[in-house]
Amino acid sequence: MSRTVWVILAILALAFAAITGLAVRRGMLGPQAQTAAIGGPFRLTDQTGKPTDQKVLNKKWSAVFFGYTYCPEACPTTLLALGQTEKLLGPKADDFQTVFISVDPERDTPKVLTNYLSNTSFPRRTIGLTGTPQQVADAAHAYRVYYQKAGAGQDYQVNHSTITYLMGPGGDFVCVIAYGETPQVMAGQIQAAMKQGPHATSCQA
Amino acid sequence: MKRALIAAAVTVLAAAPLSAFSAGTLEVLQPWSRPAVAGTTGVGYMVLANHGRSPDALEKVESPIAARVEMHSSAMAGGIMTMEKQDKVAVPAGGRTTFGPGAYHLMLIGLTKTLNPGDRAPATLTFASGARLKVAFVVSAGMGPPPVAAPTPGANR
């Protein structure tokens, strides 16, 4: 076989590889675009009783989590993990906050939230938010969070989504932090996002 | 000989895990809890072991530091945590039932005392067989149960 044929074959192989690479990259970019539109405007009241809105997310990286103070399982699990995550972030913890939004506005008054969040094992920089049932429903809708009252009487439970969202300092969605992640994994995700800068779109290193 | 016996007794006592409680053929292994502030709800986790030949069930739990204690089951489906109150929780003959994150748990409702890491939350467990067991839930500083002394070979079978 002549040298010319080999050169042509080599060029064709290279072209094929380049086209395949481009196709793969396109395919990988596709699903990411669909994760937009988590979060947005809300009007709630913080644990000091002050009316507040989505601007509480500005300037800091925020772990946004929906729960209720009566909850003995998922909520302490997540808040304890975030408390340890905060410590693992070291000096970067100053750029990070936890936002706990109640899905039980009937029982979770600002005063109840203040007491609940005074737990020294929970993250130190935590904003507790509650509101009218409608305000809470609107906020949960914006974050695509499900919650449903279960059981009767005073001691009802609220079944709810256990997902935690990492939002960037502009208030935009960055990534999902799965329930039950270790503080080490959570801190790694947050650090990876911080490294990408304020417009991070993922928590991958 | 006498000295050896005393030495052996001391060794056994020192090695006995502080975190196990037993009455008859029932044993409660590693009861633990999580930090919670007074006025809120605390949690109780443990493993119930029934070394007997007949099934038993945990029917009632009381604690001097909670307004009342309820038994609940947790289930996770599609990222949503669902809880259901239980009137009793069975412990099969020769078997174990685990109260742990994502499984059965005790809810210490209306804590009258703040639970900090290292604290102990006392409670009394009453079983269908009539057995009553006093336990103390140790408050963990970490995500899982607090570390215990190295297991002693031959103990807790």
Side-chain angles (χ1 to χ4, degrees):
Chain A
M1 222 187 288
S2 79
R3 186 178 271 188
T4 326
V5 173
W6 276 113
V7 168
I8 289 166
L9 274 175
I11 289 166
L12 280 174
L14 274 173
F16 180 75
I19 288 162
T20 311
L22 270 175
V24 166
R25 201 184 276 184
R26 283 255 170 113
M28 280 170 77
L29 280 170
Q32 264 189 0
Q34 294 167 9
T35 55
I38 286 172
F42 58 75
R43 300 186 79 84
L44 292 162
T45 303
D46 73 11
Q47 75 265 45
T48 67
K50 200 179 84 184
T52 184
D53 59 23
Q54 69 283 357
K55 291 193 198 85
V56 293
L57 301 179
N58 290 356
K59 293 182 186 149
K60 287 202 178 198
W61 297 84
S62 306
V64 177
F65 173 70
F66 288 72
Y68 63 116
T69 69
Y70 202 77
C71 153
E73 260 275 286
C75 313
T77 301
T78 301
L79 287 169
L80 291 169
L82 285 167
Q84 292 179 28
T85 300
E86 197 185 65
K87 290 197 182 97
L88 290 173
L89 289 175
K92 287 266 172 73
D94 287 334
D95 303 327
F96 174 73
Q97 65 183 1
T98 297
V99 179
F100 176 78
I101 303 178
S102 174
V103 288
D104 185 11
E106 283 173 54
R107 288 185 296 203
D108 289 344
T109 60
K111 208 176 144 190
V112 168
L113 280 178
T114 300
N115 182 49
Y116 181 71
L117 297 174
S118 70
N119 191 327
T120 51
S121 299
F122 288 173
R124 284 177 58 202
R125 302 157 183 89
T126 303
I127 296 171
L129 300 176
T130 186
T132 65
Q134 189 57 52
Q135 287 176 328
V136 166
D138 290 346
H141 185 254
Y143 281 83
R144 301 188 191 169
V145 162
Y146 163 91
Y147 66 102
Q148 178 75 52
K149 230 166 117 169
Q154 253 193 318
D155 295 331
Y156 61 88
Q157 307 293 318
V158 186
N159 301 327
H160 63 96
S161 305
T162 50
I163 218 163
T164 300
Y165 296 104
L166 183 68
M167 308 299 283
D172 295 323
F173 169 78
V174 180
C175 77
V176 161
I177 298 174
Y179 176 73
E181 273 314 357
T182 62
Q184 287 73 18
V185 169
M186 286 183 170
Q189 286 186 292
I190 296 162
Q191 279 159 340
M194 284 174 165
K195 221 171 180 179
Q196 288 180 38
H199 302 293
T201 51
S202 85
C203 293
Q204 272 147 23
Chain B
M1 179 62 192
K2 200 177 171 189
R3 194 181 285 175
L5 270 178
I6 292 168
V10 166
T11 310
V12 167
L13 279 176
L18 288 164
S19 55
F21 299 81
S22 59
T25 53
L26 285 169
E27 194 176 18
V28 178
L29 302 163
Q30 202 167 50
W32 64 285
S33 186
R34 283 178 159 166
V37 176
T40 66
T41 306
V43 76
Y45 298 128
M46 62 191 163
V47 176
L48 296 178
N50 180 358
H51 305 295
R53 286 186 184 169
S54 31
D56 209 337
L58 179 61
E59 284 194 337
K60 194 167 85 171
V61 184
E62 292 158 294
S63 171
I65 62 155
R68 68 191 173 285
V69 182
E70 288 181 4
M71 295 178 268
H72 283 255
S73 65
S74 295
M76 184 75 100
I80 293 154
M81 175 81 78
T82 311
M83 289 198 287
E84 210 168 310
K85 193 176 163 181
Q86 310 287 309
D87 290 329
K88 57 180 171 187
V89 174
V91 195
R96 288 177 171 212
T97 299
T98 301
F99 284 65
Y104 289 119
H105 58 272
L106 299 177
M107 271 179 81
L108 283 69
I109 299 165
L111 285 174
T112 55
K113 200 177 154 273
T114 291
L115 298 176
N116 289 312
D119 287 351
R120 285 160 168 265
T124 304
L125 315 181
T126 306
F127 292 84
S129 62
R132 278 166 70 89
L133 242 161
K134 276 187 191 259
V135 298
F137 295 89
V138 181
V139 181
S140 174
M143 294 308 297
V148 283
T152 41
N156 286 323
R157 287 285 151 85

